[in-house]
Amino acid sequence: MQVMEAAKGIMRQSGNMHQWGDGYPSEDVIAADMEKHGSFVIEDEGKVVGYFAFLPSPDPTYYNIYNGEWLDDTQTYHVVHRIASTPQVHGIFSSIIDFCTAHETNLRVDTHRDNKIMQHNLLKHGFTYCGIIYLANGDERLAYQRLV
C-alpha cells in the first residue's frame, strides 16, 4: 500500500489530480488481484518498489469501446492494471511490459485522461491508442492495446 501512496504522489505532482481517489486501490482490490493470481511486485534489494496486476481476459470494462476500436477483438488478451512505483526507481514500466509480453502477446491497458506519464510510456512501448472505455462506475478511460 506504500507503493500505491507513492504512485498517487507522482500522479498529483504531474497534474493528475483525480485518478486513484477515494481510497483506490484499496487493500481489498489488491487482495482480489492476489486471489486471481494476478498480483505482482517489483523488488529492489529486498524492498518492494513497484506493483502491477496482470489479469487474463475477459475484462468486462473492455466489452464496449467508443470513438475507436481494438486492434484485435477476437483473441484472448491480458490486462495490465494498477501500475505503481516509488519515485526513487526508474525503468519499472519497461520491466513490467517485458514481463507481460514474455507471457502474453496481446495486452490491453487503460488510463485516465490526465495521466500523461502513463500515456507517454504506453506509446513509447508500442501500445496503440484504440478509443475510450468506461469503468463500472462510469468513469472514462483511454484504452490502449499492444499486439506482439
Side-chain angles (χ1 to χ4, degrees):
M1 297 314 295
Q2 292 173 342
V3 171
M4 297 304 170
E5 289 305 312
K8 288 179 192 181
I10 294 168
M11 288 182 196
R12 301 305 175 257
Q13 288 178 348
S14 69
N16 182 358
M17 307 309 281
H18 304 288
Q19 187 176 6
W20 287 13
D22 299 325
Y24 182 89
S26 66
E27 289 184 21
D28 290 342
V29 169
I30 303 304
D33 291 343
M34 295 168 90
E35 288 173 14
K36 296 173 190 169
H37 304 285
S39 178
F40 296 87
V41 297
I42 299 102
E43 292 183 333
D44 183 31
E45 296 182 9
K47 182 178 178 183
V48 175
V49 296
Y51 176 87
F52 66 101
F54 183 58
L55 303 166
S57 59
D59 185 319
T61 59
Y62 292 166
Y63 288 154
N64 297 306
I65 189 165
Y66 304 90
N67 299 329
E69 62 186 8
W70 296 112
L71 299 176
D72 180 293
D73 203 19
T74 60
Q75 299 178 52
T76 59
Y77 58 89
H78 269 71
V79 178
V80 187
H81 283 310
R82 292 174 279 291
I83 296 171
S85 68
T86 60
Q88 302 88 342
V89 295
H90 300 283
I92 295 290
F93 189 86
S94 294
S95 296
I96 290 169
I97 298 307
D98 288 347
F99 173 87
C100 294
T101 56
H103 294 88
E104 174 64 70
T105 59
N106 188 358
L107 300 176
R108 292 184 183 182
V109 177
D110 65 82
T111 192
H112 194 280
R113 185 174 296 277
D114 293 340
N115 196 336
K116 302 300 184 192
I117 294 171
M118 183 62 67
Q119 293 170 46
H120 169 79
N121 275 316
L122 289 167
L123 294 174
K124 178 180 171 184
H125 287 84
F127 284 81
T128 300
Y129 172 75
C130 294
I132 296 171
I133 58 106
Y134 291 92
L135 304 179
N137 68 3
D139 287 351
E140 174 195 86
R141 292 294 184 264
L142 306 180
Y144 294 80
Q145 186 172 22
R146 178 178 170 186
L147 298 173
V148 180

